[in-house]
Amino acid sequence: MFAFGGALYVWGGAGPTSEIVDARLYRLHLGGGSSSLVWEIAKTKNSMRPPPREEHAGVLYRGKYYITGGTLADKNLTDDLWCLNMSNLKWSALRCGPMARHCHNMWAARGKLYVLGGRIIEKHIQNPIKASHSIDDFHSYDIETRSWSTVDVFGDRPLDISEYTVLPLYHGQEDREDPYSVIVWGGYCEADQTRGTPSKEQLQAKYGDEWKEMCVSYRNRMLRFDTETLAWTLLKPTRELLPKAQSFAAEIQSTHGQTRLLIGGGYGFTADGKTPDEAADDIDPVILAMYKMWDTKVSQSNQTPAASRNIYEVTIADERGPCSALDDLKGKSWAWKFFDMPGEKRPSVHVDVSACSPTLHTALDLTFEDFLEPACRSVRPDDDSTLLGVRMKLHNLQGRKDLNGQVGRCGPWLEDKGRYQIFLSAYEPGGPASLSVK
């Protein structure tokens, strides 16, 4: 489902009898009152159209709707890519993707379509249960050059994932074309059993310290993908949230460096495996119990999924770390010095996400110097040798009173303005990443 021009559109999926037979485009006009909320068939202009399917991925981008992959009516998977021009409702076939998959997802940014994960079926495996498994494949499609390419993973790995939730984040309501980052939440992982049931040692070799997360088929990981740097960041909740797949997500508000989200629904593990996850205190014992099920091989017989009725409010930091500004800062200011610092001397940003309450997050932007005595107790004009990189708290600002109380780092002395440039670690989209202060 997607929204365009004051209407909702639905394409694809299976009917009430689970038959995949419908390739029509449905439209629901909004804004005319409840009496006008009637679904209709939006007629496409040409006879060429994608075959009906379910479990495909779709995204609306720059006035065009793209779909790829999915399960066809004959139960085979497809790797095709189609584009529907919303201005004339014409379908066109594009270059097929790198592999046939389903239960994946897709988003678009900066002229590219990004396709992550999903499930594939190994045709050489006779057992259909063991033939299907989730993957971590990450590819992009360049809309201008019409070519596919592998996307290297920087930062935290998404790991094998399917049936996950994608939420693009934008700079304000006016700029809704290219997201600055994408949130990936939850999902489901069907273990790769093509070479037999994986052992504990095999999982440790493949996933490292995160192997325990792979003991449970449903995911409770939240990651942030930066569309500029292509870097992944794992956001760690302050409390555990039970794993879910196929949840919904919506952005409530982004302001002053904080983004509020709603995440809810879906299916997965609940407090007792059969009822909605109403008691947060029951989460840890359930997760621990799942880990104990693992000895030397996978045992998933007691994992009983259930639908969830819960909705959570999540607040994350709209992080603007130094890496996203590398090209602007390189060789031009004090901030570049931090890129040359090894190990513990380099500043780091750690974000704790509260998944079950509006207690927000804890964001730290610290170096070892922050735990020492301050370099000085007073601020003197033109004192770069002492103040460069020192943390400072803003106060008595008249033009930007909303920034009073924020903590930033002192940059260079601006001779022409008679002020210091202060770099802020969190900012409001459209607002300053730095400002000059007396």
Side-chain angles (χ1 to χ4, degrees):
M1 178 183 294
F2 63 96
F4 180 81
L8 287 180
Y9 291 83
V10 172
W11 186 89
T17 60
S18 298
E19 293 184 1
I20 309 172
V21 296
D22 200 345
R24 293 175 292 184
L25 179 67
Y26 292 88
R27 178 171 55 204
L28 176 66
H29 289 286
L30 304 174
S34 59
S35 60
S36 64
L37 295 179
V38 179
W39 286 98
E40 63 181 10
I41 296 175
K43 295 182 179 180
T44 53
K45 304 299 183 181
N46 54 342
S47 58
M48 184 175 66
R49 66 184 64 180
R53 68 194 65 195
E54 66 172 342
E55 299 172 334
H56 55 284
V59 64
L60 178 71
Y61 184 58
R62 297 181 180 177
K64 296 180 179 180
Y65 180 62
Y66 298 88
I67 65 166
T68 184
T71 305
L72 302 178
D74 59 4
K75 302 304 179 183
N76 286 320
L77 305 186
T78 178
D79 60 355
D80 59 358
L81 175 65
W82 290 79
C83 173
L84 176 64
N85 191 324
M86 298 303 296
S87 64
N88 55 19
L89 293 184
K90 282 188 176 182
W91 285 103
S92 58
L94 304 178
R95 185 176 180 179
C96 290
M99 66 180 66
R101 69 180 95 191
H102 65 159
C103 300
H104 52 301
N105 224 318
M106 176 166 60
W107 61 88
R110 300 176 181 269
K112 293 184 178 181
L113 308 177
Y114 291 90
V115 179
L116 171 66
R119 292 205 292 274
I120 62 173
I121 297 178
E122 305 282 1
K123 293 185 177 180
H124 64 281
I125 304 296
Q126 299 299 320
N127 187 329
I129 297 178
K130 293 187 176 182
S132 174
H133 63 89
S134 299
I135 57 175
D136 63 356
D137 177 83
F138 191 27
H139 271 78
S140 68
Y141 176 81
D142 191 301
I143 296 175
E144 183 178 353
T145 63
R146 299 189 177 188
S147 59
W148 287 93
S149 59
T150 301
V151 183
D152 294 328
V153 175
F154 299 102
D156 299 300
R157 298 180 300 163
L159 304 179
D160 299 332
I161 189 173
S162 58
E163 300 183 43
Y164 55 93
T165 301
V166 165
L167 179 63
L169 300 179
Y170 301 88
H171 287 312
Q173 294 297 321
E174 294 76 18
D175 183 11
R176 308 292 290 185
E177 186 172 274
D178 284 285
Y180 65 88
S181 65
V182 175
I183 298 297
V184 171
W185 151 251
Y188 177 84
C189 178
E190 190 168 342
D192 184 353
Q193 301 184 63
T194 55
R195 296 178 177 82
T197 302
S199 67
K200 173 180 170 183
E201 289 73 20
Q202 289 173 325
L203 289 177
Q204 288 175 324
K206 183 175 183 179
Y207 302 114
D209 294 338
E210 297 170 296
W211 75 272
K212 283 190 175 182
E213 293 188 37
M214 309 306 288
C215 297
V216 183
S217 296
Y218 299 91
R219 295 283 167 265
N220 67 343
R221 304 173 88 229
M222 179 182 288
L223 297 109
R224 176 185 181 272
F225 175 71
D226 190 302
T227 60
E228 181 180 2
T229 64
L230 306 185
W232 289 90
T233 302
L234 179 63
L235 304 179
K236 298 181 180 180
T238 54
R239 297 188 66 184
E240 289 287 354
L241 180 64
L242 281 171
K244 294 289 185 296
Q246 295 188 359
S247 300
F248 74 84
E251 180 182 358
I252 304 174
Q253 183 183 37
S254 292
T255 179
H256 298 295
Q258 298 173 357
T259 301
R260 295 170 58 210
L261 315 174
L262 283 182
I263 296 178
Y267 72 96
F269 294 113
T270 55
D272 59 7
K274 299 179 181 179
T275 58
D277 47 337
E278 298 173 353
D281 292 338
D282 291 337
I283 294 177
D284 287 345
V286 173
I287 299 298
L288 291 175
M290 293 307 305
Y291 292 160
K292 291 179 181 178
M293 292 174 57
W294 286 70
D295 182 13
T296 57
K297 64 179 182 179
V298 179
S299 175
Q300 298 179 328
S301 60
N302 294 329
Q303 297 187 12
T304 305
S308 172
R309 297 195 299 264
N310 286 25
I311 299 176
Y312 300 95
E313 180 175 316
V314 181
T315 303
I316 64 173
D318 180 11
E319 176 186 328
R320 190 180 193 272
C323 291
S324 63
L326 186 149
D327 293 333
D328 295 334
L329 298 176
K330 186 174 181 179
K332 298 180 181 179
S333 72
W334 65 273
W336 177 247
K337 297 179 182 179
F338 289 131
F339 289 96
D340 297 328
M341 288 183 175
E344 73 281 354
K345 292 188 177 182
R346 187 180 302 122
S348 63
V349 177
H350 175 75
V351 180
D352 288 329
V353 181
S354 174
C356 303
S357 72
T359 52
L360 307 184
H361 61 276
T362 302
L364 301 178
D365 176 13
L366 302 175
T367 68
F368 76 108
E369 296 171 325
D370 297 301
F371 299 94
L372 304 177
E373 282 295 317
C376 62
R377 294 289 182 180
S378 61
V379 177
R380 295 185 298 272
D382 197 12
D383 191 14
D384 287 0
S385 60
T386 303
L387 295 177
L388 277 178
V390 173
R391 290 169 65 85
M392 293 191 171
K393 188 174 183 178
L394 302 179
H395 64 92
N396 294 332
L397 297 182
Q398 299 302 316
R400 288 300 306 268
K401 293 183 179 181
D402 58 306
L403 297 179
N404 285 327
Q406 285 205 28
V407 176
R409 291 190 183 274
C410 185
W413 172 257
L414 305 176
E415 188 67 37
D416 56 333
K417 296 182 179 180
R419 298 167 177 244
Y420 283 102
Q421 186 176 13
I422 305 297
F423 291 83
L424 305 178
S425 59
Y427 72 106
E428 181 179 0
S434 67
L435 72 163
S436 56
V437 178
K438 287 185 178 179

